[in-house]
């Protein structure tokens, strides 16, 4: 009897394996459990990403139709006057909210819901280790986040690239373009989500974790916006032709202007507003007294954008890895 049972079991296993091969790759074990538990959030993100990418493809087609009337890719002057940049601005604003929304609604409740509802205790009573459970949760969530944000970033970059050199439409140094293209949205969203997971693990209450995660993600956005342009190498150009008309040094049209100052004969810099008296005669006297000989202009060229984005993303990803390690180490001993 036992031989027949063993044979039947082996046959069933073989049939199951063969069915799995015919049906393609299937999730099983812990991967299936995590996907099943959070499938609503995962599918919502994937579906919203697909819809947004389709919208971007359509809008880019509309944009290129307009630009071709001005000789795209070598655009003629005057194309900016009739260009409708509202769709680009609207999508950029929505994409800028993604790190906050995903951090609050996915990262915050990811562990807090299990801890509050008792699921973590149930998992802890099984043969699966806490480290594997936490690692699978973080890994699968991070994978979905990376897939979605990479697709959105690539689509937005593709849409914006034909007009990126025009600072009148959307400056490359603004958050609407810098934070929505390249690796930055991926890194920002991952840090927001993993930070929310850590907050939920410590607070153990879903609603409270979501509120605190909201504060964390908003603060993260503010700090990032403050330090964003410090990632670049400032270029300084000077002139010694006085401060009259057409005496400023040449600065590329798409450059991000940081500061411009008067340059004195001794090489010192003074603010350009320091001699802005009410009368031209008084202003000239002030310039002569300070021995102003020209201008000094500090700027960051658009050519540094990619390197700045990768440097910033590396910093954000390093912080994400540190928080993820904390979640694993803390959760291994103190999760329940």
């Amino acid at each position: 009897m036992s031989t027949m049972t063993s044979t039947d079991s082996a046959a069933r296993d073989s049939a199951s394996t063969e069915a799995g091969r015919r049906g393609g790759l299937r999730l099983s074990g812990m991967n299936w459990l995590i996907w099943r538990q959070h499938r609503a959030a995962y599918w919502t993100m994937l579906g919203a990403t697909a819809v947004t990418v389709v919208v971007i493809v359509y809008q880019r087609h509309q944009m290129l139709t307009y630009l071709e009337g001005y000789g795209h890719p070598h655009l003629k002057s005057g194309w900016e006057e009739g260009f409708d940049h509202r769709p680009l601005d609207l999508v950029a604003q929505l994409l800028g909210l993604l790190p906050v929304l995903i951090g609050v609604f996915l990262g915050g409740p990811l562990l807090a819901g299990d801890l509050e509802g008792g699921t973590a205790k149930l998992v802890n009573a099984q043969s699966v280790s806490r480290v594997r459970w936490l690692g699978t949760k973080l890994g699968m969530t991070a994978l979905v986040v990376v897939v979605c944000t990479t697709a959105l970033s690539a689509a937005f970059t593709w849409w914006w690239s034909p007009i990126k050199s025009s600072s009148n439409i959307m400056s490359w140094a603004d958050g609407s373009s810098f934070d929505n293209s390249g690796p930055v949205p991926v890194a920002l969203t991952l840090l927001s989500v993993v930070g929310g997971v850590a907050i939920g693990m410590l607070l153990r209450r879903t609603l409270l974790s979501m509120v605190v995660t909201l504060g964390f993600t908003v603060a993260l956005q503010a700090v990032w916006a403050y330090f964003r342009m410090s990632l670049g190498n400032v270029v300084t150009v000077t002139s010694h032709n006085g401060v009259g008309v057409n005496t400023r040094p040449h600065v590329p049209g798409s450059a991000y202007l940081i500061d411009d100052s008067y340059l004195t004969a001794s090489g010192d810099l003074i603010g350009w507003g320091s001699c802005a008296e009410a009368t031209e005669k008084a202003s000239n006297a002030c310039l002569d007294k300070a021995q102003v000989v020209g201008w000094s202009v500090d700027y960051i060229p658009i050519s540094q954008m990619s390197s700045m984005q990768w440097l910033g993303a590396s910093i954000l990803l390093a912080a994400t890895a540190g928080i993820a390690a904390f979640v694993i180490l803390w959760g291994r001993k103190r999760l329940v």
Side-chain angles (χ1 to χ4, degrees):
M1 179 68 69
S2 61
T3 303
M4 295 179 61
T5 303
S6 176
T7 303
D8 292 343
S9 177
R12 286 195 299 268
D13 292 342
S14 177
S16 177
T17 302
E18 185 64 26
R21 290 174 182 174
R22 291 196 301 266
L25 182 63
R26 295 177 180 272
L27 295 177
S28 61
M30 183 58 63
N31 294 327
W32 177 87
L33 178 63
I34 299 301
W35 177 270
R36 181 79 177 176
Q37 183 182 10
H38 302 288
R39 65 188 184 279
Y42 293 157
W43 279 120
T44 299
M45 289 179 57
L46 292 169
T49 298
V51 171
T52 305
V53 169
V54 170
V55 171
I56 289 177
V57 170
Y58 172 78
Q59 290 296 337
R60 187 180 190 274
H61 173 73
Q62 295 292 100
M63 181 186 74
L64 287 181
T65 301
Y66 171 82
L67 294 179
E68 285 171 358
Y70 289 87
H72 175 76
H74 305 290
L75 295 173
K76 303 175 184 178
S77 60
W79 71 269
E80 296 175 342
E81 297 177 3
F83 182 80
D84 185 10
H85 55 84
R86 289 175 297 179
L88 189 66
D89 293 339
L90 178 60
V91 173
Q93 291 175 6
L94 293 176
L95 293 181
L97 293 174
L98 281 183
V100 176
L101 295 176
I102 297 177
V104 171
F105 291 101
L106 180 60
L110 194 72
L111 285 181
D114 292 337
L115 293 170
E116 186 177 21
T119 305
K121 291 183 179 180
L122 177 62
V123 172
N124 187 61
Q126 308 303 314
S127 60
V128 178
S129 67
R130 298 178 188 176
V131 172
R132 182 183 174 189
W133 180 61
L134 289 171
T136 305
K137 261 186 176 291
L138 288 175
M140 185 166 290
T141 301
L143 178 61
V144 174
V145 170
V146 168
V147 168
C148 293
T149 52
T150 299
L152 292 172
S153 174
F156 183 83
T157 303
W158 180 59
W159 181 16
W160 173 61
S161 58
I163 59 171
K164 67 182 299 183
S165 60
S166 174
S167 57
N168 294 328
I169 301 299
M170 180 180 287
S171 174
W172 68 271
D174 292 341
S176 54
S177 52
F178 193 95
D179 296 349
N180 292 325
S181 59
V184 174
V186 181
L188 267 177
T189 307
L190 277 176
L191 181 54
S192 299
V193 170
V194 176
V197 172
I199 291 171
M201 182 184 66
L202 296 176
L203 297 181
R204 298 171 174 263
R205 294 292 183 271
T206 302
L207 183 58
L208 178 60
S209 298
M210 293 175 69
V211 173
V212 175
T213 301
L214 175 61
F216 167 75
T217 54
V218 171
L220 174 63
Q221 295 278 349
V223 172
W224 170 254
Y226 182 78
F227 287 104
R228 181 195 303 124
M229 298 312 297
S230 64
L231 299 170
N233 296 317
V234 178
V235 177
T236 301
V237 291
T238 59
S239 66
H240 298 77
N241 303 319
V243 292
V245 180
N246 299 324
T247 61
R248 288 177 177 268
H250 173 71
V251 175
S254 57
Y256 173 70
L257 184 63
I258 297 177
D259 190 23
D260 54 354
S261 307
Y262 289 137
L263 178 66
T264 65
S266 61
D268 296 330
L269 301 179
I270 61 175
W272 63 269
S274 58
C275 289
E277 279 82 1
T279 64
E280 181 178 354
K281 182 177 180 180
S283 178
N284 291 334
C286 175
L287 294 174
D288 292 338
K289 182 179 179 181
Q291 297 182 330
V292 172
V293 297
W295 291 95
S296 176
V297 180
D298 297 333
Y299 70 94
I300 300 177
I302 191 175
S303 59
Q304 294 189 23
M305 179 181 180
S306 180
S307 60
M308 291 169 62
Q309 287 181 317
W310 280 105
L311 175 59
S314 300
I315 296 172
L316 294 172
L317 290 175
T320 302
I323 298 175
F326 166 75
V327 170
I328 296 294
L329 294 175
W330 179 281
R332 184 177 61 178
K333 296 182 179 181
R334 308 183 184 180
L335 186 64
V336 292

